[in-house]
Amino acid sequence: DAGVTQSPTHLIKTRGQQVTLRCSPKSGHDTVSWYQQALGQGPQFIFQYYEEEERQRGNFPDRFSGHQFPNYSSELNVNALLLGDSALYLCASSLGQRKRKEQFFGPGTRLTVL
Amino acid sequence: SQQGEEDPQALSIQEGENATMNCSYKTSINNLQWYRQNSGRGLVHLILIRSNEREKHSGRLRVTLDTSKKSSSLLITASRAADTASYFCATDESKGYGNKLVFGAGTILRVKS
């Protein structure tokens, strides 16, 4: 049973560039959430996708956008990168919206913006 | 913003000792979850306790929840060097659809062998 997978593992970009991160949820899961974790801090919720729609959003600017595909996989896009966007980006999957189940996390993508 | 706040920020113990970490939060919750993170990698789910539960066990882990005090504790018994990691509590406070988690800053646990 494959867990949550993310790609790439590491990424280096320069300010102003755009980046796309990818996530495949755990088998059987239909909900994908994205979190940003700065060094030394806890993860911060970016947004959550269910049925190919953004269902909840945290306090992140419009530069952060996403997409969910019919197979439940998801992408996180960040435009006009800033130095402060350097962080570990975590994807989590869960089952359903109202079942209040645990979220399972992938290994993360380490983004460095120079 | 982060709702959960873990205490202590860092904890260093000898192998075989028990480790206790505390978490406080501010609003009403559906459930509270504890996660472990090794060396800045992905989070591993440890245990979920619902708002109508007071205590839950899983192997060497014991979690308590006091909704009147808006606090939770994670006890790891008979700690091992492999338990060295950062531990986070996360609260699900979502109303209606969605289950966004709000994390604390974490407790760094070091178990010395």
Side-chain angles (χ1 to χ4, degrees):
Chain A
D1 179 21
V4 180
T5 60
Q6 292 185 245
S7 63
T9 305
H10 294 88
L11 205 51
I12 299 175
K13 292 285 188 178
T14 56
R15 279 178 298 175
Q17 285 189 312
Q18 178 264 344
V19 68
T20 297
L21 310 181
R22 296 176 176 82
C23 170
S24 290
K26 182 177 168 66
S27 178
H29 284 183
D30 56 9
T31 301
V32 174
S33 304
W34 287 92
Y35 294 81
Q36 179 195 67
Q37 186 179 23
L39 200 61
Q41 297 183 23
Q44 298 267 329
F45 176 79
I46 303 175
F47 42 53
Q48 185 175 79
Y49 277 84
Y50 173 69
E51 291 185 334
E52 301 178 50
E53 289 188 17
E54 182 183 293
R55 299 290 179 165
Q56 278 193 304
R57 189 177 182 92
N59 293 328
F60 281 80
D62 292 344
R63 297 187 298 108
F64 289 78
S65 63
H67 189 78
Q68 186 179 34
F69 300 93
N71 67 353
Y72 308 119
S73 66
S74 176
E75 287 182 350
L76 164 65
N77 301 294
V78 187
N79 295 323
L81 285 167
L82 304 173
L83 295 180
D85 295 331
S86 294
L88 180 68
Y89 287 85
L90 295 161
C91 169
S93 73
S94 56
L95 178 61
Q97 287 280 282
R98 282 188 172 272
K99 295 181 180 179
R100 305 291 180 232
K101 294 282 192 179
E102 52 269 68
Q103 294 187 21
F104 291 87
F105 283 77
T109 293
R110 173 75 61 187
L111 172 65
T112 302
V113 182
L114 302 175
Chain B
S1 63
Q2 296 189 304
Q3 169 167 238
E5 293 186 6
E6 285 92 342
D7 167 52
Q9 289 184 326
L11 182 60
S12 183
I13 60 174
Q14 290 293 137
E15 205 166 27
E17 293 181 339
N18 295 341
T20 299
M21 287 160 268
N22 302 297
C23 168
S24 60
Y25 58 93
K26 297 172 185 170
T27 64
S28 62
I29 61 173
N30 300 304
N31 62 61
L32 185 146
Q33 304 178 38
W34 284 90
Y35 288 86
R36 185 186 74 228
Q37 185 176 41
N38 291 84
S39 303
R41 297 302 290 168
L43 284 84
V44 174
H45 185 269
L46 297 176
I47 199 163
L48 179 154
I49 186 165
R50 302 195 183 281
S51 59
N52 60 354
E53 297 175 312
R54 291 297 166 258
E55 187 171 314
K56 207 162 182 181
H57 296 255
S58 177
R60 294 184 297 112
L61 306 180
R62 172 179 168 256
V63 169
T64 61
L65 179 65
D66 187 334
T67 53
S68 66
K69 295 181 179 178
K70 291 187 170 58
S71 67
S72 173
S73 68
L74 170 67
L75 169 67
I76 304 175
T77 60
S79 63
R80 306 165 182 168
D83 294 328
T84 294
S86 293
Y87 290 82
F88 295 91
C89 70
T91 53
D92 175 358
E93 59 186 43
S94 305
K95 305 292 186 290
Y97 282 89
N99 55 345
K100 148 188 168 181
L101 292 179
V102 180
F103 285 82
T107 291
I108 300 172
L109 173 65
R110 180 186 172 207
V111 181
K112 295 177 284 187
S113 55

